[in-house]
Amino acid sequence: MSMPSHIGHTPDASPPTFTPAPAGCSLSAFRTLTVTDVTTAIRQLSDKQCASDPFPTRLLKDNVDLLAPFITTLYNKSVASGMFPAVFKYAYITPRLKKASLDPADTKSYRPISNLPVLSKTLERLVAHQLVKHLNLWRLLPDLQSAYRAHHSTETAVMRVLSDILDALDRGDFAVLTLLDLSAAFDTVDHTTLLRRLQITYGITDTALVWFASYLHERKLCMVQRILFYYIITAMWSTQRIGPWTDPLPSVHGRPT
């Protein structure tokens, strides 16, 4: 998987700076999950599944009352130890043409669709729920952020921008809108910088921080291509290197300041 050409070409850039978290703000460990937490999360799943899932998602949902206690034990061992299961890091990538008018022979015409195991995505959502709760409790999210927030969307973002423009025009001012679009934006995220921001700005420490480092570390993928009615693996498993990469685990265990 190639990276955007602008990545890694800013050697003279200043090191990132971080705003310290408020006094007393800390999330050092995740809350122990209950069977009810896991059961509810699984029942809210769609029926989609991954090629590596041992059985259909519908079958998992139909038997959730029987399986949830065992899955809960697995999840709690993960969040308590700070280790994200390696088997949950295997993603199947299916290339999808962005638009029908694009050249199918050009690799840039495709969008990679990542398919992860259902149990992996469920654990992600349960942890994300605790993280968002922490961020909301300490009011750490920007007031104007619309992405990844409950009751917010692209519509609320557009409404705010439109309101600001109309207010400026009503005052007799000029309104200028500048839009910045990063190509492959998520691929530009440096994992070490992300973990330091989680620690310094958002108060994520100890086992919780180690869990996030483990979540990012050594993810693997393989390409899957559909030929008629069959899927074939077109690449062997390879270590996923999305974004500028350095191993974050040593610095996290050392708890950098």
Side-chain angles (χ1 to χ4, degrees):
M1 182 177 294
S2 62
M3 298 181 189
S5 59
H6 60 276
I7 293 179
H9 296 292
T10 55
D12 299 329
S14 301
T17 58
F18 307 98
T19 302
C25 173
S26 176
L27 177 62
S28 60
F30 297 113
R31 174 182 60 81
T32 300
L33 299 169
T34 66
V35 173
T36 300
D37 293 331
V38 174
T39 300
T40 301
I42 291 177
R43 283 178 172 160
Q44 291 175 347
L45 292 171
S46 66
D47 289 340
K48 297 179 181 179
Q49 63 190 71
C50 177
S52 61
D53 288 329
F55 44 76
T57 304
R58 169 53 59 184
L59 187 61
L60 171 64
K61 294 164 68 174
D62 288 344
N63 295 275
V64 65
D65 291 331
L66 176 64
L67 298 174
F70 303 98
I71 298 173
T72 303
T73 299
L74 172 64
Y75 285 176
N76 280 328
K77 287 185 178 295
S78 171
V79 297
S81 64
M83 298 299 294
F84 191 77
V87 71
F88 286 178
K89 301 179 184 181
Y90 290 79
Y92 285 85
I93 307 297
T94 303
R96 297 287 176 84
L97 200 63
K98 296 178 181 178
K99 296 180 181 178
S101 58
L102 296 177
D103 181 9
D106 186 355
T107 57
K108 295 181 179 179
S109 301
Y110 292 86
R111 176 182 293 107
I113 306 299
S114 178
N115 197 358
L116 288 162
V118 168
L119 292 182
S120 173
K121 292 185 289 187
T122 305
L123 177 55
E124 289 178 14
R125 291 169 184 170
L126 290 167
V127 170
H129 177 76
Q130 295 192 38
L131 176 62
V132 171
K133 185 177 180 179
H134 167 75
L135 298 178
N136 289 334
L137 175 65
W138 289 94
R139 300 183 62 84
L140 297 174
L141 294 176
D143 292 336
L144 299 183
Q145 177 178 324
S146 286
Y148 313 111
R149 299 181 70 180
H151 313 300
H152 291 71
S153 65
T154 53
E155 293 180 359
T156 58
V158 171
M159 289 176 60
R160 177 55 190 254
V161 172
L162 180 60
S163 175
D164 289 345
I165 292 175
L166 294 177
D167 285 344
L169 296 178
D170 288 342
R171 295 192 303 268
D173 297 332
F174 291 102
V176 178
L177 177 63
T178 301
L179 300 175
L180 177 63
D181 183 18
L182 293 177
S183 176
F186 286 103
D187 293 353
T188 67
V189 177
D190 181 273
H191 293 165
T192 301
T193 302
L194 172 62
L195 291 168
R196 287 180 61 82
R197 184 170 295 279
L198 284 173
Q199 180 187 25
I200 298 173
T201 303
Y202 300 120
I204 311 300
T205 62
D206 299 328
T207 305
L209 185 64
V210 173
W211 189 92
F212 281 114
S214 175
Y215 173 84
L216 295 170
H217 184 61
E218 288 296 324
R219 302 191 74 87
K220 298 179 184 295
L221 59 84
C222 74
M223 191 73 69
V224 179
Q225 183 178 4
R226 183 171 184 177
I227 303 297
L228 295 179
F229 298 103
Y230 300 94
Y231 286 89
I232 61 173
I233 296 178
T234 58
M236 298 298 290
W237 287 109
S238 60
T239 301
Q240 187 175 10
R241 298 294 178 96
I242 297 180
W245 179 266
T246 55
D247 184 358
L249 288 175
S251 62
V252 170
H253 282 295
R255 288 198 280 276
T257 57

